């Protein structure tokens, strides 16, 4: 039977059936038992994205909890291929990673792949991707990571420390093994063919288990790591996978930087946010106010509701009330959208303030913080 | 018609017809006119290896001389994939490069590809290729380069400075383009696939023409450089190509590190040298002394004579006398071999002394010399 959705690292199409994806990818479901264990481990409430199954799938998260409980600890790794601008969906792994860091008190490594972005795109110069790296780093720092437990590094700058380990990894991966996973073919350039090795290096920054929070579409990349890690004396990378924040335009696919109407950018001003939500946000409401009052809206397909549920309304009571009111017809689409507009604009305003302050912190995260200083002294082998 | 010899970067088979190779590879013959021009340029005698056409072919050596005469200068680049031990043939490009440096007063860059050697060989560890790098560097320094105009660097150490330019180069080379030249296929590891980019970087260390002295078998590697250099704002690399010092065992193929009887190692002691030459050196002499006296020997196929001619007897009068005496039968094979044994042992003794002293110079060539210091401050883009 033909499948009505596709999820690969470079394409998300159709309405994703996340339960099916767990089976297809061979990952584990994030069960309530596991969530309870996590809650006990941190002795605190879980993050809204975990409570509400935005992070819905994992590999070896149970082993991460074992290691944590035994006092062996673990570390977090995430990253970003720098782009001209970041949208709200790009923040999900960072926000969640920051929360994990705070609750588990662990190190975070953030790889900025200025090389990959350059190598992947015919039109980009290395100067551009380096400039975008700086800009994206400001957005990442604004999320609130611990400056002494977080190391942000750009491949072109940190390469010397990573290169010896990267060639050991590269020696274990043939072109045949990476071609399908990374969407390469024999007409691909030799830089992007090598790149997978550099993406794997940070999973081996410590001789502990590494946990990678990322979109489920990134999972195939890490399967390569899991194939070779133990032969190099390191752990298979654990992962915790998120769903996609649906694009404004509807529940299918994911937000795209090249289609501005699908996404809210971190630089969108309040008027733009309002206009985009009001105009584009796919509605689960009825065609007229009368019909809506009579039949109610459908929050399950309503993008404004989904954004509130997944991200912007962490209060469980309030989101339940919104859901009930919308479903019953007591709340109109315009009212629902207005709640999201206000939440989004409050979030973005605060983000922009933190982003301004982040300018003074770039060198701390890259070079001068406790973890950064240690990392620059190390050659990974 | 089937050809009776093969020359590729990873195999030399049969008795090489060097004139045919010039046609096949599309290189230029090192003409007497060009040699006269070089002589005038340096206002000195030419090196024996140039006088006697050991360096017999080139690409753009005429343009190198143009640049030199116009005062634009040029620079030299050579390198080595480190190995457990070096044999006498390995020294040829270094000895000739050193002479070019001395006469033209130019910078020399020497790349030690500890990464490549590791990536090419299943059995080698990176620790091994790094150790061999150190040992080979001693042999290279012993050749007598100018410590303030020579920069010796290992890929795993200098990678940060090279990486930005290497990704620019890599972006211009597809797997299809490098596979044949570098003997790769889709089961090759992704590290060795990327490596050609790192080999090309040093040809762009200066915004001047680069001259690469190397065995003719290395020419295909540099064709890739010549295809892309100008699009990156650099010069096509010029080359000057040497013939192969024939293996002891006969005029076919080239010396092999894996067949000890074909080569003299820089570590061979006087007794070993004598034994190898007397036992293995392929002779152009007759079967008995009587026949030899009567018919004479054939220096054209005699390996001892060829080694003297190409390398160890730079005195033109003396080599002519040896040739005549051997051809006439006045000189016996044993006498000819003894001349080579004495020359070789004198050379090796001096080499080993210089190699001892080189231990104090490693850091100068790698880090502290004038050129090295400048290079560590530069990020190549």
């Amino acid at each position: 039977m033909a499948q009505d959705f596709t999820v690969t690292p470079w394409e998300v199409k159709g309405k994703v059936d996340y339960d099916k994806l767990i089976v297809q990818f061979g990952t584990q479901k994030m069960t309530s038992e596991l969530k309870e264990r996590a809650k006990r481990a941190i002795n605190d409430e879980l993050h809204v994205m975990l409570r509400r199954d935005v992070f819905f799938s994992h590999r070896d998260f149970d082993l991460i909890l074992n290691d944590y409980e035994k006092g062996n600890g673990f570390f977090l790794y995430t990253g970003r291929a720098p782009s001209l601008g970041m949208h709200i969906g790009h923040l999900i792994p960072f926000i969640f990673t920051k929360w994990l860091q705070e609750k588990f008190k662990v190190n975070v490594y953030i790889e900025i792949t200025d090389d990959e972005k350059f190598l992947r795109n015919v039109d980009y110069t290395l100067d551009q991707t380096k400039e975008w790296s700086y800009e994206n780093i400001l957005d990442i720092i604004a999320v609130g990571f611990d400056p002494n437990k977080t190391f942000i590094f750009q491949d072109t700058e940190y390469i010397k420390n990573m290169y010896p380990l990267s060639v050991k990894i590269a020696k274990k991966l043939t072109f045949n093994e990476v071609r399908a996973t990374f969407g390469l073919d024999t007409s691909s350039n030799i830089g992007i063919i090598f790149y997978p090795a550099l993406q794997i290096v940070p999973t081996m920054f410590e001789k502990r288990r590494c946990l990678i929070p990322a979109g489920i579409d990134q999972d195939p990349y890490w399967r390569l790591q899991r194939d070779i890690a133990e032969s190099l004396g390191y752990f298979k990378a654990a992962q915790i996978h998120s769903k996609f924040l649906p694009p404004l335009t509807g529940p299918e696919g994911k937000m795209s930087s090249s289609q501005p109407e699908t996404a809210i950018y971190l630089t969108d001003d309040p008027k733009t946010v309002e206009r985009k939500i009001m105009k584009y946000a796919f509605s689960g409401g009825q065609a007229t106010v009368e019909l809506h009052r009579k039949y109610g809206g459908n929050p399950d397909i309503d993008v404004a509701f989904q954004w509130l549920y997944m991200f912007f309304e962490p209060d469980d009571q309030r989101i339940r009330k919104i859901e009930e009111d919308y479903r019953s017809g007591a709340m109109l689409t315009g009212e629902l959208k207005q709640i999201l507009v206000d939440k989004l604009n409050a979030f973005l305003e605060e983000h922009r303030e933190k982003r301004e302050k982040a300018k003074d912190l770039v060198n701390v995260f890259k070079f001068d913080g406790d973890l950064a200083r240690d990392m620059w002294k190390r050659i990974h082998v």
Side-chain angles (χ1 to χ4, degrees), chain A:
Chain A
M1 199 181 80
Q3 188 169 282
D4 44 358
F5 68 93
T6 311
V7 175
T8 70
W10 52 92
E11 187 186 45
V12 176
K13 245 175 38 188
K15 177 150 174 50
V16 181
D17 181 330
Y18 287 104
D19 287 331
K20 253 193 199 163
L21 210 53
I22 284 178
V23 178
Q24 246 178 53
F25 278 17
T27 64
Q28 265 80 52
K29 199 176 156 74
M30 181 61 69
T31 60
S32 8
E33 289 76 14
L34 208 49
K35 287 196 272 184
E36 276 307 309
R37 259 189 83 190
K39 213 169 146 176
R40 281 196 306 274
I42 63 170
N43 196 21
D44 201 347
E45 275 305 306
L46 296 181
H47 192 270
V48 58
M49 292 180 188
L50 201 47
R51 289 201 312 273
R52 299 189 192 156
D53 291 326
V54 176
F55 283 86
F56 72 108
S57 155
H58 72 97
R59 288 186 193 269
D60 293 349
F61 185 60
D62 48 337
L63 302 185
I64 288 284
L65 291 177
N66 289 353
D67 286 355
Y68 182 75
E69 286 160 3
K70 279 189 239 152
N72 297 333
F74 66 93
F75 66 100
L76 292 158
Y77 163 37
T78 184
R80 168 142 195 87
S83 67
L84 181 54
M86 285 172 73
H87 61 57
I88 210 86
H90 291 142
L91 283 187
I92 287 183
F94 293 107
I95 286 172
F96 189 64
T97 301
K98 184 250 165 187
W99 177 81
L100 288 167
Q101 174 176 58
E102 200 178 290
K103 297 302 167 190
F104 289 95
K105 315 225 178 320
V106 293
N107 289 338
V108 171
Y109 301 92
I110 301 175
E111 181 173 45
I112 307 295
T113 60
D114 52 358
D115 51 352
E116 177 202 13
K117 192 73 175 194
F118 166 74
L119 288 164
R120 279 255 184 222
N121 296 277
V122 173
D123 298 333
Y124 300 159
T125 68
L126 199 52
D127 284 341
Q128 281 177 308
T129 66
K130 284 179 180 176
E131 195 190 310
W132 300 340
S133 296
Y134 175 77
E135 296 295 332
N136 289 188
I137 286 172
L138 295 181
D139 286 310
I140 292 166
I141 291 175
V143 167
F145 292 97
D146 181 338
N148 286 312
K149 282 182 168 297
T150 307
F151 179 45
I152 303 180
F153 57 101
Q154 267 167 259
D155 285 347
T156 61
E157 295 176 350
Y158 195 59
I159 184 73
K160 179 177 174 180
N161 304 63
M162 294 196 286
Y163 190 66
L165 182 50
S166 79
V167 296
K168 288 184 186 173
I169 293 164
K171 195 172 177 180
K172 301 223 167 235
L173 295 172
T174 70
F175 177 74
N176 284 331
E177 284 161 339
V178 304
R179 67 193 301 174
T181 305
F182 278 80
L184 307 172
D185 58 48
T186 59
S187 71
S188 300
N189 75 62
I190 61 173
I192 199 65
I193 293 172
F194 174 64
Y195 167 74
L198 285 176
Q199 183 173 294
I200 289 173
V201 170
T203 66
M204 303 174 186
F205 273 176
E206 300 186 9
K207 287 258 178 184
R208 293 196 264 207
R209 214 175 293 275
C210 166
L211 175 64
I212 304 171
I216 182 76
D217 56 328
Q218 305 296 301
D219 178 71
Y221 287 160
W222 307 114
R223 287 180 215 155
L224 292 171
Q225 192 273 0
R226 293 171 62 88
D227 288 343
I228 62 165
E230 291 177 345
S231 75
L232 286 164
Y234 293 91
F235 288 96
K236 291 183 180 184
Q239 295 152 68
I240 181 161
H241 303 118
S242 68
K243 298 177 182 169
F244 310 111
L245 196 63
L248 280 185
T249 40
E252 300 198 350
K254 67 173 189 174
M255 280 184 268
S256 160
S257 297
S258 53
Q259 294 164 277
E261 72 278 11
T262 63
I264 297 293
Y265 294 95
L266 301 181
T267 50
D268 282 346
D269 61 33
K271 284 246 163 298
T272 306
V273 169
E274 184 166 11
R275 190 179 52 77
K276 279 190 180 177
I277 299 294
M278 292 302 176
K279 182 165 174 187
Y280 297 117
F282 183 85
S283 171
Q286 303 295 342
T288 65
V289 172
E290 287 68 33
L291 288 170
H292 192 84
R293 293 290 186 209
K294 187 165 169 189
Y295 298 110
N298 181 0
D300 304 335
I301 59 164
D302 188 286
V303 170
F305 179 80
Q306 290 301 320
W307 281 33
L308 286 167
Y309 182 81
M310 293 172 73
F311 193 150
F312 293 102
E313 182 44 272
D315 186 302
D316 289 343
Q317 284 193 310
R318 263 186 265 164
I319 195 72
R320 208 172 306 128
K321 181 78 166 68
I322 292 171
E323 183 175 358
E324 284 166 11
D325 287 353
Y326 192 59
R327 214 182 276 283
S328 73
M331 183 182 282
L332 298 175
T333 291
E335 291 165 332
L336 178 65
K337 285 189 172 186
Q338 191 58 52
I339 296 174
L340 179 62
V341 168
D342 293 343
K343 289 274 184 188
L344 263 173
N345 278 332
F347 176 88
L348 290 175
E349 195 187 325
E350 199 186 326
H351 180 80
R352 278 187 289 260
E353 275 166 27
K354 289 182 187 159
R355 191 181 192 279
E356 255 326 284
K357 287 182 191 144
K359 290 178 182 170
D360 295 330
L361 294 171
V362 173
N363 278 328
V364 177
F365 281 94
K366 289 177 75 174
F367 304 108
D368 303 331
D370 289 348
L371 182 61
R373 255 186 296 118
D374 282 353
M375 290 300 284
W376 280 100
K377 285 181 211 143
R378 293 179 53 197
I379 301 290
H380 309 284
V381 289

